[in-house]
Amino acid sequence: MSLQKTIINLLLKLPDPILVSMAGGKPVVRDGRTLDARFQFIAHSVTKRGPPPELTKEFARQGTEILTMLFGGPLESGVSCQDRTLELEGRSIPARSYRPSNQNPLAPLLVFYHFGGGVVGSLETCHALCSILAKTIGCPVLSVDYRLAPEHPWPAGLNDAIDSYLWARDHAQEFGAPAGVAAVGGDSMGGNFSAIIAQEMQRRELPQPFLQLLIYPATTILETEGSMQTCADAYPLTADIMAWFMANYLPNATLGPNLGEDLRVSPALAPSLAGLAPAIVITAGHDPLRDQGKAYAEALEAADVKVHYQCYDSLAHGFTAYTGGVPAADRACREIAAVAARAYRAMGG
């Protein structure tokens, strides 16, 4: 694997025109947005082999881990990490904490949830990003390895996310952070969980998270228009793969045909977003989820929630796991962390 990674990294250092010529001959453009040449090359290299005979959870999980090993970045210097287990009401949840050497004792703990449609992903897929967030913000980060479907369908993973957030808030001092407060963040399904946590705290009449960091979040499974159509064939998340994720993540139809309308599945359907925590919402140009992420940011802003929204037009879904192979993805993650750091400072954290 190390030799393969070395060869790929050497190829990815080639000039953009050469990479594009090796990956179809012309730039990939969707909705007026040109895909980063390195992402185009990776997508072409992966998809030219054709789809597997049958997409299984084993194949999807193995593929995600391989791509993370090939394109993921290293742990940031000056950040220490430690694997640990959260003991919550009769179940154990694996987690990983990140502590920066420049930690600000006033900065709240950030609880982070990885991507993967509720079916794939692990602590490794967001390893580099969590260390970038910790170092740039100066806060501790707790990455949570929630249960995955189909072995543990909805709402098992979501319940892990909610309960681990409450645990982290109550144990924040163990990480050198202020007691009784925590921020939430995640990408894709992790962004879905983070948005739901903020709403769930409101429903339970509990304090809001310090901040919600929503990176290309899934906010409704009912959307079929806009980028869901124009980016339906985008790499690495296609409309077909999204449908496969949901078929595995959600219970069977015996629980009701309107499950997609449940606010613990589709937080964008909430009748009001007023009073929720300040939010940073990030989307990618080549992503079926792009438009729903933007719409959620606009709905938050319309509800007088303080929001920072940004779309990285040249990047694709999952770019946070490509910091070691795609410089534009690495820059984007550092910019996102810098925005979060400014939000922390503005709120006294």
Side-chain angles (χ1 to χ4, degrees):
M1 184 63 70
S2 60
L3 177 59
Q4 186 178 9
K5 182 171 184 176
T6 299
I7 294 172
I8 291 173
N9 284 336
L10 287 173
L11 287 171
L12 291 175
K13 294 182 185 300
L14 293 171
D16 287 6
I18 295 178
L19 289 173
V20 169
S21 69
M22 296 171 65
K26 61 181 181 179
V28 173
V29 180
R30 295 184 180 89
D31 298 325
R33 299 166 168 89
T34 302
L35 183 63
D36 177 87
R38 280 147 195 83
F39 248 120
Q40 180 176 341
F41 178 80
I42 293 169
H44 181 78
S45 300
V46 172
T47 59
K48 70 180 181 181
R49 298 184 178 90
E54 180 183 2
L55 183 58
T56 64
K57 67 180 189 295
E58 292 83 8
F59 180 89
R61 289 172 183 172
Q62 183 183 40
T64 300
E65 296 303 320
I66 290 174
L67 289 173
T68 299
M69 286 188 286
L70 289 175
F71 304 114
L75 181 75
E76 286 288 288
S77 62
V79 177
S80 61
C81 70
Q82 180 180 14
D83 288 343
R84 59 178 301 161
T85 302
L86 311 183
E87 300 295 342
L88 305 175
E89 298 182 2
R91 69 186 189 277
S92 300
I93 302 178
R96 181 176 294 167
S97 63
Y98 298 80
R99 299 279 301 271
S101 58
N102 64 332
Q103 183 172 333
N104 177 357
L106 299 179
L109 172 68
L110 170 60
V111 187
F112 196 89
Y113 308 98
H114 64 75
F115 67 56
V119 181
V120 306
S122 69
L123 298 177
E124 298 304 324
T125 52
C126 60
H127 181 63
L129 173 62
C130 285
S131 69
I132 290 171
L133 291 169
K135 183 174 182 177
T136 305
I137 301 172
C139 74
V141 175
L142 181 66
S143 179
V144 177
D145 200 14
Y146 52 87
R147 286 174 290 177
L148 298 176
E151 297 92 334
H152 305 283
W154 180 90
L158 174 62
N159 287 340
D160 285 353
I162 294 171
D163 292 346
S164 62
Y165 164 75
L166 292 170
W167 181 94
R169 187 193 63 184
D170 294 341
H171 292 78
Q173 286 181 301
E174 294 182 18
F175 304 93
V181 62
V184 290
D187 49 358
S188 195
M189 184 58 79
N192 173 274
F193 288 170
S194 299
I196 293 170
I197 286 170
Q199 294 187 16
E200 187 70 11
M201 294 304 102
Q202 190 175 67
R203 286 189 283 268
R204 298 185 187 187
E205 298 183 345
L206 294 173
Q208 278 291 292
F210 182 73
L211 176 74
Q212 32 178 345
L213 174 59
L214 314 179
I215 303 175
Y216 37 81
T219 62
T220 173
I221 67 167
L222 302 179
E223 183 61 63
T224 60
E225 303 298 324
S227 60
M228 286 294 296
Q229 291 185 352
T230 59
C231 297
D233 63 344
Y235 169 88
L237 182 64
T238 66
D240 287 344
I241 291 176
M242 283 185 60
W244 179 84
F245 278 142
M246 290 301 98
N248 282 273
Y249 176 63
L250 297 174
N252 61 48
T254 60
L255 292 186
N258 299 322
L259 184 59
E261 298 177 8
D262 193 305
L263 299 184
R264 293 180 10 128
V265 174
S266 299
L269 302 183
S272 174
L273 302 180
L276 296 181
I280 297 169
V281 183
I282 302 297
T283 58
H286 295 254
D287 182 359
L289 301 183
R290 183 193 69 225
D291 288 355
Q292 61 181 266
K294 180 181 180 182
Y296 195 69
E298 291 172 344
L300 286 167
E301 188 171 36
D304 292 326
V305 175
K306 188 173 183 179
V307 180
H308 172 93
Y309 171 75
Q310 184 168 352
C311 179
Y312 286 91
D313 286 342
S314 70
L315 296 180
H317 190 88
F319 68 75
T320 53
Y322 288 77
T323 58
V326 180
D330 183 70
R331 289 193 298 271
C333 288
R334 295 180 189 281
E335 289 174 5
I336 293 165
V339 170
R342 290 195 292 272
Y344 261 66
R345 289 194 296 269
M347 295 186 290

